Amino acid sequence: MDIQWNGLRTLVLGTGKSGLAAAELLRSKGAAVLVADQAPEEARAFEKKALEQMGAACLFGSFPDPVDLQMDLVVISPGIPRDNPVVHRAERAGIPVWGELELAGRFIRGPLVAITGTNGKTTTTAWICHILEQAGRKAVLGGNIGVPLTAMTGRFSGDSVGVVEVSSYQLETVDSFHPAVAVITNLTPDHMERHKTMENYLEVKARIFARQGPEDTVVLNADDSWLAGLTGQIPGRLLQFSVKRTVKGACLADGQLFLTDGDRPVMLVEASRLLLPGSHNIQNALAAVCAVRALGLGPEEIRPGLLSFSGVEHRLEPVATVEGVRYINDSKATNPESVLMALESFREPLILILGGSPKQTSYRELAQEVARRGIPVVVSGQTRDEIVEALEEAGARDVHPAENFRRAVDQARALARPGDVILLSPACASFDEFRNFEHRGSVFKEIVNDYHQEEEKAGTGTPGENR
């Protein structure tokens, strides 16, 4: 689709990070841009000023009709579903509806590695970028991990690789998006309020490789039963990773990570030498190995980045040790399966902070594991009563409801004893009290740092025990 961008009448729906980045990219290409948000104008003062400075018109309080406005293109933010009436109206009229990911892909020249999945995608994305950089390759990191892809288009040079985390919401609206390497880490129930069924969720995730050709690579988790059904749909090369068996790609055997895409397995590193704990991080490491292997890296280039990667913000992130208690920020854990993985990473006594905004998921399995291990739990947010009910049905005895997030952290502190770990791993989205999971994690860290300052003023801290 050859598009004349100069003067193109474009409606951008949503003034979040992706909406602002999309508007700025379109304006830089000469498009006429109207950005609309259903939030009231007084709640979007910063966004309005930014839009006016870039020469985009803006409308707050409602979404306008793109047909009446004779728009040529509609660009929607990930949080806006395809069944939104305005989106339906545009599609019925034949107006192209793109997401920010599709828009960015039209302007990127050079290979892209795109990573999706229910859990592990942020860590895997960052790990791939780290391995590439440690091997002396130029890598540009972004997408759903922080910087919108539309804001990254000017950072690419002829020899750089884009490493991009993509969500199912973003994949709903791709058409020509074409990564050279597509990675799907795993698939467990998530976002069911949007996708309704696991079959729909899988179909959306599979769009990541829909436009690939025979020269491209797909990386799949061989241990995931849902992803097994995709192996016959791969248009190009398939690499898999497993912690249970030998597959073509990468695997775990005898406590060691192996590269297994050649004539014989090549040992890379001992799993115990990885800086990130937990079996789920071994899977993330193997996924990263397959991705960089698809880009041509050899064992000697892969090893340094495997061994030196220390993780990402908001994912099992150590914050501080206060009064002998370790605080861990796992705000990125927005579903129960991710929390179950986090629990595997600790053998110390835990106090778990759960709760947030709902995603129409079941907390039964998580509640059973919490009850089995006797983990004290503090619960807040819109999902508080639902989670408390699940915990009580599972036989959990140490459950503490809290009226808000700050009270939840304070209650966890009151329950803790030296040697304990307080783990924020909410199993829920964050939109009840926060803008996003990053905001929630940052507030958690601010609270913990306040505790630390109190301890220092009291003169009870141990030098060197924090950060």
Side-chain angles (χ1 to χ4, degrees):
M1 185 178 179
D2 190 18
I3 294 179
Q4 176 60 47
W5 297 100
N6 192 38
L8 190 80
R9 296 185 301 273
T10 307
L11 173 63
V12 176
L13 301 181
T15 59
K17 287 191 296 185
S18 64
L20 292 177
E24 186 169 14
L25 176 60
L26 287 161
R27 286 295 301 135
S28 73
K29 302 300 179 181
V33 178
L34 169 63
V35 183
D37 199 299
Q38 292 177 313
E41 182 175 331
E42 56 269 23
R44 294 289 186 267
F46 171 83
E47 291 81 358
K48 181 184 179 185
K49 182 177 180 180
L51 290 166
E52 289 174 343
Q53 288 177 341
M54 70 178 72
C58 45
L59 175 68
F60 297 96
S62 65
F63 288 154
D65 189 315
V67 179
D68 290 347
L69 294 176
Q70 298 183 317
M71 289 293 172
D72 301 310
L73 173 67
V74 176
V75 177
I76 64 176
S77 297
I80 299 170
R82 292 294 292 270
D83 60 4
N84 182 283
V86 173
V87 175
H88 266 179
R89 174 90 167 130
E91 290 180 328
R92 284 197 302 268
I95 301 173
V97 177
W98 295 351
E100 179 259 346
L101 194 64
E102 176 67 22
L103 174 65
R106 305 285 174 136
F107 297 100
I108 291 175
R109 299 294 176 264
L112 281 177
V113 181
I115 301 93
T116 195
T118 305
N119 298 305
K121 54 185 179 290
T122 297
T123 298
T124 301
T125 301
W127 213 330
I128 290 168
C129 188
H130 180 77
I131 293 171
L132 289 169
E133 291 174 338
Q134 292 297 301
R137 307 289 182 95
K138 293 182 180 178
V140 182
L141 177 69
N144 199 50
I145 197 171
V147 180
L149 190 57
T150 43
M152 297 167 55
T153 58
R155 303 182 189 180
F156 286 82
S157 58
D159 57 350
S160 59
V161 177
V163 185
V164 186
E165 177 185 328
V166 301
S167 70
S168 59
Y169 290 4
Q170 292 173 310
L171 289 169
E172 285 180 335
T173 50
V174 296
D175 178 27
S176 64
F177 181 68
H178 178 179
V181 182
V183 181
I184 307 181
T185 58
N186 49 57
L187 202 76
T188 58
D190 199 13
H191 305 300
M192 289 297 106
E193 78 286 358
R194 176 113 160 205
H195 301 304
K196 311 304 181 188
T197 69
M198 283 295 289
E199 288 77 12
N200 290 342
Y201 188 32
L202 177 65
E203 183 179 347
V204 170
K205 289 293 192 184
R207 291 174 67 87
I208 195 170
F209 59 76
R211 294 296 182 184
Q212 285 189 323
E215 72 284 0
D216 300 317
T217 302
V218 174
V219 176
L220 296 179
N221 185 342
D223 301 332
D224 190 290
S225 58
W226 280 101
L227 299 184
L230 298 180
T231 56
Q233 305 176 28
I234 307 304
R237 183 188 186 198
L238 172 64
L239 293 178
Q240 293 180 283
F241 60 95
S242 173
V243 297
K244 298 178 180 178
R245 58 191 173 93
T246 301
V247 291
K248 182 180 179 182
C251 70
L252 175 72
D254 299 323
Q256 299 173 321
L257 277 64
F258 284 88
L259 186 63
T260 53
D261 73 328
D263 295 333
R264 53 180 152 179
V266 178
M267 200 280 280
L268 294 171
V269 299
E270 294 179 358
S272 61
R273 296 183 63 196
L274 299 176
L275 298 180
L276 301 188
S279 61
H280 60 292
N281 278 317
I282 295 175
Q283 294 184 54
N284 296 335
L286 293 170
V289 166
C290 289
V292 297
R293 182 61 167 174
L295 294 171
L297 268 64
E300 297 303 322
E301 294 175 295
I302 295 172
R303 286 190 186 100
L306 267 183
L307 291 170
S308 58
F309 182 67
S310 58
V312 297
E313 189 178 18
H314 308 299
R315 191 69 182 101
L316 291 176
E317 175 193 9
V319 180
T321 299
V322 183
E323 299 166 336
V325 176
R326 280 206 299 148
Y327 290 79
I328 304 294
N329 169 27
D330 196 35
S331 182
K332 184 72 171 64
T334 59
N335 58 64
E337 290 74 21
S338 188
V339 181
L340 285 167
M341 292 179 181
L343 295 180
E344 292 179 9
S345 302
F346 299 94
R347 291 294 169 260
E348 303 99 321
L350 285 173
I351 295 162
L352 181 62
I353 301 174
L354 293 174
S357 56
K359 298 176 77 175
Q360 293 185 13
T361 190
S362 171
Y363 301 102
R364 182 180 177 184
E365 185 179 355
L366 174 59
Q368 290 173 340
E369 178 63 13
V370 167
R372 185 188 69 80
R373 290 181 55 173
I375 299 172
V377 182
V378 184
V379 192
S380 67
Q382 292 174 345
T383 56
R384 181 186 64 187
D385 294 344
E386 182 182 359
I387 294 175
V388 168
E389 182 180 353
L391 288 164
E392 290 177 346
E393 287 181 356
R397 298 180 181 276
D398 207 349
V399 181
H400 305 267
E403 64 181 84
N404 57 45
F405 182 77
R406 174 71 199 224
R407 290 287 181 88
V409 182
D410 287 344
Q411 283 186 232
R413 182 190 189 189
L415 292 169
R417 298 293 179 265
D420 290 353
V421 171
I422 292 178
L423 173 64
L424 169 66
S425 195
C428 302
S430 56
F431 304 119
D432 51 349
E433 293 189 57
F434 307 100
R435 294 187 299 273
N436 46 45
F437 75 84
E438 294 100 333
H439 182 206
R440 176 171 60 194
S442 295
V443 170
F444 177 70
K445 291 195 287 186
E446 289 172 4
I447 294 170
V448 174
N449 286 328
D450 286 345
Y451 295 163
H452 175 44
Q453 290 177 10
E454 292 172 10
E455 183 185 45
E456 285 189 327
K457 288 178 181 178
T460 58
T462 301
E465 72 178 357
N466 278 13
R467 283 186 277 255

